[in-house]
Amino acid sequence: MGTIENAFQHQRLIFATSNLHKLHEVRSMAPAGVQIVGLADIGFAGEIPETQNTIEGNSLQKAAFLSKLYNTPCFAEDTGLIIDALNGEPGVYSARYAGEKASYADNTNKVLKKMESEINRTARFKTVITYYHNETYVQFTGITEGEIINTPQGNQGFGYDPIFIPSGSSKTYAEMTLEEKNRFSHRKKSFDSFANYLSNNSV
Ligand code: ITT
């Protein structure tokens, strides 16, 4: 068993996401020697179906779709913000909470409105990465607990970052540099498990 860096010499991993923020973040997490290949790099400009009603299901659907289309291993991830006072919403609907064409600000504002008189602010981000290869798959989950604040703060990051403070921090994700966000990040936790798996399995 070598180090993660050794295991990854010149490895190319295709990431099935149309979200450039996710791509940017994952590239910052990848061990040296790993090239994260985005959809633009392989010439895919279509829509990846995402019709399941769980984060695990959507993550698998995205990875399986692209892996079968290109007949190559690839990974995808699905992420949701789970808010206790909203019975787990927006959850699997995080990307389109305020409607199909909703902006990040629309979604964030909808959350804040629904949370206006809520005392319980606890929430968590959950990312599930699926690595799909040879007609089979493995999944890696990363969860970060935290709380929803009353008014957006910060302009880094994306999505719900301005309203989420991870436990152990006094800043929102949107007030953090990428390196700081990576110290708490749900996405980083799931990606680290994935990288560890790859370093121990020749796939
Ligand atoms: P792909 O499916 O193409 O990967 P997407 O943006 O549709 O991209 P999701 O279905 O996983 O991704 O939607 C998750 C939504 O949750 C995303 O659009 C953001 O609004 C939000 N989100 C995901 N990760 C986040 C993060 O790290 N910080 C803040 N919000 C995030």
Side-chain angles (χ1 to χ4, degrees):
M1 180 170 67
T3 64
I4 285 185
E5 281 73 17
N6 285 341
F8 275 131
Q9 288 304 319
H10 309 301
Q11 184 157 1
R12 277 165 52 94
L13 291 172
I14 299 174
F15 184 12
T17 182
S18 48
N19 185 319
L20 296 179
H21 296 280
K22 288 185 181 179
L23 185 62
H24 180 59
E25 288 195 2
V26 166
R27 281 187 170 142
S28 81
M29 298 168 190
V34 178
Q35 185 192 0
I36 303 291
V37 178
L39 294 182
D41 305 314
I42 59 171
F44 180 83
E47 287 259 321
I48 300 180
E50 199 173 336
T51 55
Q52 304 303 298
N53 57 12
T54 60
I55 291 174
E56 287 79 5
N58 276 333
S59 176
L60 171 58
Q61 186 178 25
K62 290 185 259 191
F65 174 83
L66 208 84
S67 177
K68 287 176 182 167
L69 190 65
Y70 284 87
N71 194 25
T72 186
C74 82
F75 75 99
E77 63 108 291
D78 200 64
T79 295
L81 175 63
I82 297 158
I83 302 176
D84 292 324
L86 303 182
N87 298 317
E89 287 182 8
V92 72
Y93 304 109
S94 292
R96 52 203 145 101
Y97 194 43
E100 279 305 325
K101 296 252 180 311
S103 66
Y104 290 145
D106 294 337
N107 289 333
T108 299
N109 288 335
K110 180 167 178 184
V111 166
L112 290 181
K113 186 122 199 61
K114 287 194 146 199
M115 292 289 285
E116 233 162 29
S117 53
E118 282 298 343
I119 292 168
N120 176 11
R121 314 293 300 187
T122 56
R124 63 204 55 79
F125 269 110
K126 175 176 166 179
T127 291
V128 176
I129 288 177
T130 303
Y131 182 51
Y132 197 96
H133 61 104
N134 304 330
E135 304 285 311
T136 186
Y137 69 92
V138 271
Q139 294 192 310
F140 308 92
T141 302
I143 293 174
T144 295
E145 301 285 341
E147 61 182 62
I148 303 298
I149 57 171
N150 292 308
T151 44
Q153 280 177 31
N155 50 22
Q156 311 292 308
F158 70 104
Y160 300 94
D161 280 350
I163 60 168
F164 182 81
I165 297 185
S167 302
S169 173
S170 54
K171 295 189 210 175
T172 67
Y173 271 163
E175 294 176 296
M176 298 180 180
T177 63
L178 188 49
E179 290 67 32
E180 284 177 295
K181 182 177 174 183
N182 281 346
R183 286 208 280 278
F184 296 93
S185 163
H186 45 289
R187 179 163 296 104
K188 175 85 161 71
K189 289 172 186 166
S190 63
F191 189 83
D192 282 353
S193 301
F194 175 35
N196 190 46
Y197 168 86
L198 287 175
S199 76
N200 288 307
N201 294 271
S202 41
V203 282

